[in-house]
Amino acid sequence: MEARVNGPANPGMITAIQYLYKAIHAGGADQRLLSLIHLRTSQINGCSPCVFASTESARKAGETDERLHNVVAWRDTPFYTEAERAALALTEAATRLQDGAPGVTDEIWDTAAGHFSEEQLGAITLEIALTNFFNRINRTIREQAGKTW
């Protein structure tokens, strides 16, 4: 597979993304959790550059290889807190919006809301949405894992 473009064509897009990241980080959600959310979303969407980037980011934030390797099977492993599980369930429900999927149910939302403040939930929701945005762009332009903009 070859990339269709050589980096972002619109500098304004980078500026807009930087503002979204500032909003995410201002929400008070833990950086390691945000990296796990980015990783899980990217795994679901099959976005190799985002899987690569989120793994690198998570390691820099102090995440362990054990947890990174097992996030794909988070329900069946003992490595995640109840709060992280709630965020990962929210991540999957918000990302899997194909025909007939229930999306984010009240139960999923209420469980997450029991662990996070409104500001943190806003940051988590924006992280999920922004990652899905990146995944779709990267899949469209065939961005390669390991490259940086």
Side-chain angles (χ1 to χ4, degrees), residues 79-136:
F79 308 125
Y80 308 97
T81 67
E82 289 304 312
E84 290 167 334
R85 291 175 186 282
L88 290 169
L90 179 61
T91 298
E92 289 189 359
T95 299
R96 297 180 191 265
L97 295 177
Q98 70 276 12
D99 294 341
V104 178
T105 64
D106 289 341
E107 179 182 1
I108 291 169
W109 181 262
D110 291 345
T111 300
H115 292 283
F116 301 102
S117 69
E118 284 190 22
E119 292 81 14
Q120 290 170 322
L121 277 173
I124 289 167
T125 302
L126 188 53
E127 178 68 28
I128 295 165
L130 187 57
T131 303
N132 275 290
F133 169 79
F134 284 137
N135 293 167
R136 279 149 181 78

Side-chain angles (χ1 to χ4, degrees), residues 4-136:
R4 291 180 169 145
V5 297
N6 294 318
N10 181 343
M13 181 176 74
I14 299 299
T15 301
I17 290 168
Q18 288 171 338
Y19 282 114
L20 290 171
Y21 271 125
K22 285 180 184 179
I24 290 168
H25 294 294
D30 181 78
Q31 179 57 46
R32 289 182 358 163
L33 176 62
L34 295 173
S35 294
L36 292 175
I37 289 167
H38 191 93
L39 176 58
R40 186 65 192 123
T41 303
S42 301
Q43 288 172 335
I44 291 167
N45 291 326
C47 181
S48 64
C50 285
V51 168
F52 179 86
S54 58
T55 308
E56 292 298 306
S57 173
R59 282 190 185 112
K60 288 178 184 174
E63 194 55 82
T64 66
D65 284 341
E66 180 177 61
R67 286 168 41 96
L68 290 172
H69 292 302
N70 285 284
V71 75
V72 70
W74 62 270
R75 285 181 178 85
D76 302 319
T77 63
F79 308 125
Y80 308 97
T81 67
E82 289 304 312
E84 290 167 334
R85 291 175 186 282
L88 290 169
L90 179 61
T91 298
E92 289 189 359
T95 299
R96 297 180 191 265
L97 295 177
Q98 70 276 12
D99 294 341
V104 178
T105 64
D106 289 341
E107 179 182 1
I108 291 169
W109 181 262
D110 291 345
T111 300
H115 292 283
F116 301 102
S117 69
E118 284 190 22
E119 292 81 14
Q120 290 170 322
L121 277 173
I124 289 167
T125 302
L126 188 53
E127 178 68 28
I128 295 165
L130 187 57
T131 303
N132 275 290
F133 169 79
F134 284 137
N135 293 167
R136 279 149 181 78

